[in-house]
Amino acid sequence: IKFFVGGNWKMNGDKESLGELIMTLNTASLNDETEVVCGAPSIYLDYVRSKLDQRIGVAAQNCYKVPKGAFTGEISPAMIKDCGIEWVILGHSERRHVFGESDELIGQKVAHCLESDLGVIACIGEKLEEREAGTTEDVVFEQTKVIADNVRDWSHVVLAYEPVWAIGTGKTATPDQAQEVHEKLRGWLRENLSDAVADSVRIIYGGSVTGGNCKELAAQPDVDGFLVGGASLKPEFVDIINARS
Protein backbone atom coordinates (compact mmCIF):
# COMPACT_ATOMS: atom_id res chain seq x y z
CA ILE A 1 0.00 0.00 0.00
CA LYS A 2 1.45 3.37 -1.00
CA PHE A 3 1.82 5.67 2.01
CA PHE A 4 -0.45 8.74 1.61
CA VAL A 5 0.14 12.14 3.20
CA GLY A 6 -2.47 14.86 2.75
CA GLY A 7 -2.03 18.44 3.90
CA ASN A 8 -5.26 20.23 4.77
CA TRP A 9 -4.49 23.95 4.67
CA LYS A 10 -8.05 24.79 5.79
CA MET A 11 -8.89 28.53 5.60
CA ASN A 12 -5.28 29.68 5.81
CA GLY A 13 -2.63 31.35 3.68
CA ASP A 14 -2.42 33.98 0.97
CA LYS A 15 -0.59 33.98 -2.35
CA GLU A 16 2.61 35.16 -0.69
CA SER A 17 2.75 32.62 2.15
CA LEU A 18 1.42 29.74 0.04
CA GLY A 19 3.92 30.66 -2.68
CA GLU A 20 6.73 30.29 -0.14
CA LEU A 21 5.35 26.95 1.08
CA ILE A 22 5.08 25.73 -2.51
CA MET A 23 8.72 26.68 -3.14
CA THR A 24 9.73 24.71 -0.04
CA LEU A 25 7.79 21.65 -1.21
CA ASN A 26 9.01 21.92 -4.81
CA THR A 27 12.65 21.94 -3.76
CA ALA A 28 12.36 19.41 -0.91
CA SER A 29 13.61 15.86 -1.10
CA LEU A 30 10.41 13.84 -0.80
CA ASN A 31 10.10 10.08 -0.40
CA ASP A 32 9.15 8.65 -3.82
CA GLU A 33 7.18 5.90 -2.08
CA THR A 34 4.76 8.44 -0.59
CA GLU A 35 1.79 10.00 -2.37
CA VAL A 36 1.40 13.65 -1.36
CA VAL A 37 -1.72 15.79 -1.80
CA CYS A 38 -2.28 19.38 -0.61
CA GLY A 39 -5.78 20.64 0.18
CA ALA A 40 -5.94 24.30 -0.81
CA PRO A 41 -8.72 26.88 -0.27
CA SER A 42 -10.95 26.80 -3.34
CA ILE A 43 -10.06 30.34 -4.42
CA TYR A 44 -6.40 29.28 -4.64
CA LEU A 45 -6.82 25.87 -6.30
CA ASP A 46 -5.89 27.12 -9.75
CA TYR A 47 -2.95 29.13 -8.39
CA VAL A 48 -1.60 26.22 -6.34
CA ARG A 49 -1.97 23.69 -9.16
CA SER A 50 -0.10 25.99 -11.55
CA LYS A 51 2.82 26.51 -9.13
CA LEU A 52 3.14 23.15 -7.35
CA ASP A 53 5.39 20.43 -8.77
CA GLN A 54 3.37 17.79 -10.64
CA ARG A 55 4.63 15.04 -8.31
CA ILE A 56 2.40 16.57 -5.62
CA GLY A 57 -1.36 16.32 -5.95
CA VAL A 58 -3.89 19.02 -5.06
CA ALA A 59 -7.27 18.59 -3.36
CA ALA A 60 -10.30 20.79 -2.91
CA GLN A 61 -11.45 20.91 0.72
CA ASN A 62 -15.12 20.39 -0.07
CA CYS A 63 -17.61 20.48 -2.95
CA TYR A 64 -21.28 20.02 -3.77
CA LYS A 65 -23.22 16.98 -4.95
CA VAL A 66 -24.26 18.09 -8.45
CA PRO A 67 -22.34 19.29 -11.56
CA LYS A 68 -23.83 22.82 -11.77
CA GLY A 69 -26.83 24.95 -10.88
CA ALA A 70 -28.29 27.59 -8.59
CA PHE A 71 -26.14 26.81 -5.54
CA THR A 72 -24.58 30.11 -4.59
CA GLY A 73 -21.14 29.79 -3.03
CA GLU A 74 -20.63 26.12 -3.92
CA ILE A 75 -18.18 24.43 -6.30
CA SER A 76 -18.68 21.19 -8.22
CA PRO A 77 -16.42 18.26 -9.06
CA ALA A 78 -16.63 19.34 -12.71
CA MET A 79 -15.14 22.75 -11.81
CA ILE A 80 -12.50 21.16 -9.60
CA LYS A 81 -11.44 18.83 -12.41
CA ASP A 82 -11.43 21.72 -14.89
CA CYS A 83 -8.69 23.32 -12.76
CA GLY A 84 -6.58 20.14 -13.03
CA ILE A 85 -7.33 19.05 -9.47
CA GLU A 86 -7.69 15.30 -8.83
CA TRP A 87 -8.85 15.06 -5.20
CA VAL A 88 -11.42 16.41 -2.77
CA ILE A 89 -11.68 16.16 1.02
CA LEU A 90 -15.22 15.23 2.11
CA GLY A 91 -16.87 14.90 5.51
CA HIS A 92 -14.19 16.70 7.49
CA SER A 93 -15.29 17.16 11.10
CA GLU A 94 -15.39 20.93 10.57
CA ARG A 95 -17.88 20.41 7.71
CA ARG A 96 -19.90 18.07 9.92
CA HIS A 97 -19.83 20.00 13.18
CA VAL A 98 -19.26 23.66 12.25
CA PHE A 99 -21.38 23.66 9.08
CA GLY A 100 -23.89 20.96 10.00
CA GLU A 101 -23.31 18.58 7.09
CA SER A 102 -25.19 15.30 7.59
CA ASP A 103 -23.97 11.78 6.91
CA GLU A 104 -26.56 11.62 4.12
CA LEU A 105 -25.24 14.74 2.36
CA ILE A 106 -21.64 13.56 2.69
CA GLY A 107 -22.64 10.22 1.18
CA GLN A 108 -24.28 11.98 -1.77
CA LYS A 109 -21.16 14.08 -2.30
CA VAL A 110 -18.96 10.97 -2.22
CA ALA A 111 -21.11 9.29 -4.86
CA HIS A 112 -21.11 12.30 -7.18
CA CYS A 113 -17.37 12.93 -6.84
CA LEU A 114 -16.52 9.32 -7.67
CA GLU A 115 -18.93 9.35 -10.62
CA SER A 116 -17.07 12.47 -11.75
CA ASP A 117 -13.75 10.63 -11.53
CA LEU A 118 -12.48 12.73 -8.63
CA GLY A 119 -10.51 11.02 -5.86
CA VAL A 120 -12.07 11.29 -2.39
CA ILE A 121 -10.38 11.68 0.98
CA ALA A 122 -13.33 10.70 3.18
CA CYS A 123 -13.13 11.75 6.83
CA ILE A 124 -14.63 10.02 9.85
CA GLY A 125 -14.10 10.34 13.58
CA GLU A 126 -15.67 10.57 17.01
CA LYS A 127 -16.09 13.53 19.36
CA LEU A 128 -14.59 13.54 22.87
CA GLU A 129 -17.92 12.78 24.59
CA GLU A 130 -18.43 9.83 22.22
CA ARG A 131 -15.01 8.40 23.06
CA GLU A 132 -15.62 8.90 26.78
CA ALA A 133 -19.02 7.20 26.46
CA GLY A 134 -17.34 4.23 24.77
CA THR A 135 -19.20 4.66 21.46
CA THR A 136 -16.19 5.33 19.21
CA GLU A 137 -16.74 2.15 17.20
CA ASP A 138 -20.47 2.75 16.70
CA VAL A 139 -19.83 6.29 15.50
CA VAL A 140 -17.01 5.56 13.06
CA PHE A 141 -18.65 2.39 11.72
CA GLU A 142 -21.89 4.29 11.04
CA GLN A 143 -19.99 7.10 9.27
CA THR A 144 -18.00 4.54 7.28
CA LYS A 145 -21.14 2.65 6.28
CA VAL A 146 -22.72 5.77 4.75
CA ILE A 147 -19.53 6.40 2.78
CA ALA A 148 -19.23 2.74 1.74
CA ASP A 149 -22.84 2.67 0.53
CA ASN A 150 -21.86 5.34 -2.00
CA VAL A 151 -18.62 3.79 -3.27
CA ARG A 152 -18.41 1.37 -6.19
CA ASP A 153 -14.67 1.59 -6.84
CA TRP A 154 -12.47 1.91 -3.75
CA SER A 155 -9.29 2.56 -5.73
CA HIS A 156 -10.12 6.30 -5.70
CA VAL A 157 -10.93 6.53 -1.99
CA VAL A 158 -8.71 7.22 1.00
CA LEU A 159 -10.31 6.87 4.44
CA ALA A 160 -9.13 9.43 6.99
CA TYR A 161 -9.71 8.68 10.67
CA GLU A 162 -9.65 11.95 12.58
CA PRO A 163 -10.74 11.83 16.21
CA VAL A 164 -12.45 15.22 16.59
CA TRP A 165 -10.96 15.69 20.07
CA ALA A 166 -7.46 15.60 18.55
CA ILE A 167 -7.95 18.08 15.70
CA GLY A 168 -6.13 21.33 16.35
CA THR A 169 -6.12 20.70 20.09
CA GLY A 170 -2.54 19.54 20.42
CA LYS A 171 -3.92 16.25 21.79
CA THR A 172 -2.87 13.44 19.51
CA ALA A 173 -4.29 9.95 19.69
CA THR A 174 -1.49 7.74 20.98
CA PRO A 175 -0.02 5.40 18.35
CA ASP A 176 -1.88 2.58 20.14
CA GLN A 177 -5.20 4.46 20.08
CA ALA A 178 -4.80 5.23 16.38
CA GLN A 179 -3.77 1.66 15.55
CA GLU A 180 -6.73 0.24 17.50
CA VAL A 181 -9.32 2.22 15.54
CA HIS A 182 -7.54 1.71 12.19
CA GLU A 183 -7.41 -2.03 12.81
CA LYS A 184 -11.13 -2.10 13.68
CA LEU A 185 -11.96 -0.07 10.57
CA ARG A 186 -10.02 -2.49 8.39
CA GLY A 187 -11.90 -5.32 10.09
CA TRP A 188 -15.20 -3.59 9.28
CA LEU A 189 -14.18 -3.26 5.61
CA ARG A 190 -13.21 -6.95 5.55
CA GLU A 191 -16.47 -8.07 7.15
CA ASN A 192 -18.85 -5.80 5.24
CA LEU A 193 -17.13 -5.37 1.87
CA SER A 194 -14.27 -7.71 0.94
CA ASP A 195 -10.72 -8.81 1.67
CA ALA A 196 -9.60 -6.99 -1.47
CA VAL A 197 -10.99 -3.65 -0.26
CA ALA A 198 -9.69 -4.15 3.30
CA ASP A 199 -6.20 -4.97 2.02
CA SER A 200 -5.96 -2.13 -0.48
CA VAL A 201 -7.73 0.90 1.01
CA ARG A 202 -5.46 3.38 2.72
CA ILE A 203 -6.64 4.35 6.19
CA ILE A 204 -4.82 7.51 7.21
CA TYR A 205 -4.71 9.28 10.58
CA GLY A 206 -5.41 12.94 11.26
CA GLY A 207 -5.37 14.92 14.49
CA SER A 208 -2.42 17.06 15.59
CA VAL A 209 0.16 15.15 13.54
CA THR A 210 3.59 16.82 13.83
CA GLY A 211 7.18 16.25 12.81
CA GLY A 212 7.73 15.03 16.36
CA ASN A 213 5.08 12.29 16.52
CA CYS A 214 4.77 11.22 12.87
CA LYS A 215 7.43 8.49 12.83
CA GLU A 216 5.91 6.56 15.71
CA LEU A 217 2.41 6.84 14.21
CA ALA A 218 3.69 5.81 10.76
CA ALA A 219 5.21 2.67 12.26
CA GLN A 220 1.76 1.31 13.19
CA PRO A 221 0.75 -1.56 10.88
CA ASP A 222 -2.68 -0.14 9.97
CA VAL A 223 -1.73 3.53 9.69
CA ASP A 224 -1.24 4.11 5.95
CA GLY A 225 -0.53 7.82 6.08
CA PHE A 226 -1.75 11.13 7.50
CA LEU A 227 -4.10 14.02 6.96
CA VAL A 228 -2.14 16.91 8.43
CA GLY A 229 -3.67 20.22 9.51
CA GLY A 230 -1.60 23.07 10.96
CA ALA A 231 1.77 21.39 10.43
CA SER A 232 1.09 21.14 6.66
CA LEU A 233 1.59 24.91 6.43
CA LYS A 234 5.08 24.68 7.95
CA PRO A 235 8.41 23.33 6.67
CA GLU A 236 8.00 20.34 9.06
CA PHE A 237 5.39 19.03 6.58
CA VAL A 238 8.39 17.68 4.66
CA ASP A 239 9.44 15.64 7.73
CA ILE A 240 5.92 14.22 7.97
CA ILE A 241 5.91 13.29 4.27
CA ASN A 242 9.17 11.47 4.92
CA ALA A 243 7.95 9.75 8.11
CA ARG A 244 8.53 6.30 6.59
CA SER A 245 11.95 7.10 5.16
Side-chain angles (χ1 to χ4, degrees):
I1 295 185
K2 190 164 191 180
F3 203 69
F4 185 102
V5 176
N8 180 10
W9 297 348
K10 306 191 181 183
M11 197 176 74
N12 290 300
D14 51 29
K15 283 189 176 175
E16 186 184 7
S17 65
L18 295 178
E20 287 170 12
L21 178 62
I22 288 165
M23 274 184 58
T24 300
L25 292 173
N26 285 353
T27 54
S29 171
L30 305 180
N31 186 342
D32 292 338
E33 299 298 303
T34 297
E35 184 170 1
V36 184
V37 174
C38 292
S42 59
I43 199 164
Y44 295 135
L45 286 171
D46 217 358
Y47 172 75
V48 171
R49 183 62 287 172
S50 68
K51 300 280 187 200
L52 198 58
D53 192 295
Q54 287 299 322
R55 67 188 169 149
I56 301 172
V58 179
Q61 296 175 11
N62 184 36
C63 69
Y64 200 50
K65 62 180 181 179
V66 292
K68 60 178 185 180
F71 302 102
T72 301
E74 293 290 330
I75 61 173
S76 71
M79 293 171 177
I80 292 167
K81 290 207 64 168
D82 193 37
C83 291
I85 313 299
E86 293 160 348
W87 290 92
V88 64
I89 300 169
L90 293 177
H92 191 279
S93 69
E94 287 148 20
R95 299 305 317 171
R96 293 174 186 268
H97 304 306
V98 180
F99 297 101
E101 291 192 11
S102 66
D103 268 339
E104 184 188 19
L105 175 60
I106 292 160
Q108 291 166 341
K109 290 182 178 191
V110 168
H112 180 56
C113 285
L114 293 173
E115 282 159 14
S116 308
D117 206 23
L118 196 59
V120 172
I121 301 167
C123 303
I124 57 176
E126 82 283 3
K127 294 193 275 197
L128 184 59
E129 56 267 32
E130 292 165 338
R131 175 163 279 267
E132 288 174 342
T135 59
T136 295
E137 268 179 67
D138 301 340
V139 172
V140 297
F141 287 174
E142 180 53 37
Q143 292 170 339
T144 304
K145 184 184 185 310
V146 178
I147 291 162
D149 287 346
N150 288 284
V151 177
R152 287 201 192 98
D153 176 7
W154 281 88
S155 65
H156 293 107
V157 180
V158 172
L159 207 51
Y161 168 61
E162 296 202 296
V164 180
W165 48 272
I167 298 174
T169 59
K171 290 180 184 170
T172 315
T174 65
D176 289 346
Q177 284 174 319
Q179 168 58 21
E180 182 186 10
V181 177
H182 283 231
E183 191 176 356
K184 285 176 176 165
L185 281 167
R186 210 176 294 285
W188 187 94
L189 296 173
R190 197 174 301 287
E191 201 173 307
N192 293 278
L193 301 171
S194 70
D195 284 343
V197 170
D199 292 335
S200 63
V201 168
R202 291 171 289 187
I203 306 175
I204 65 176
Y205 170 78
S208 300
V209 177
T210 64
N213 61 25
C214 63
K215 274 197 170 356
E216 204 182 347
L217 285 161
Q220 301 303 309
D222 288 293
V223 174
D224 303 316
F226 303 117
L227 187 56
V228 185
S232 69
L233 291 155
K234 302 172 187 164
E236 73 181 287
F237 187 48
V238 174
D239 300 327
I240 299 171
I241 292 167
N242 294 330
R244 280 256 176 109
S245 297

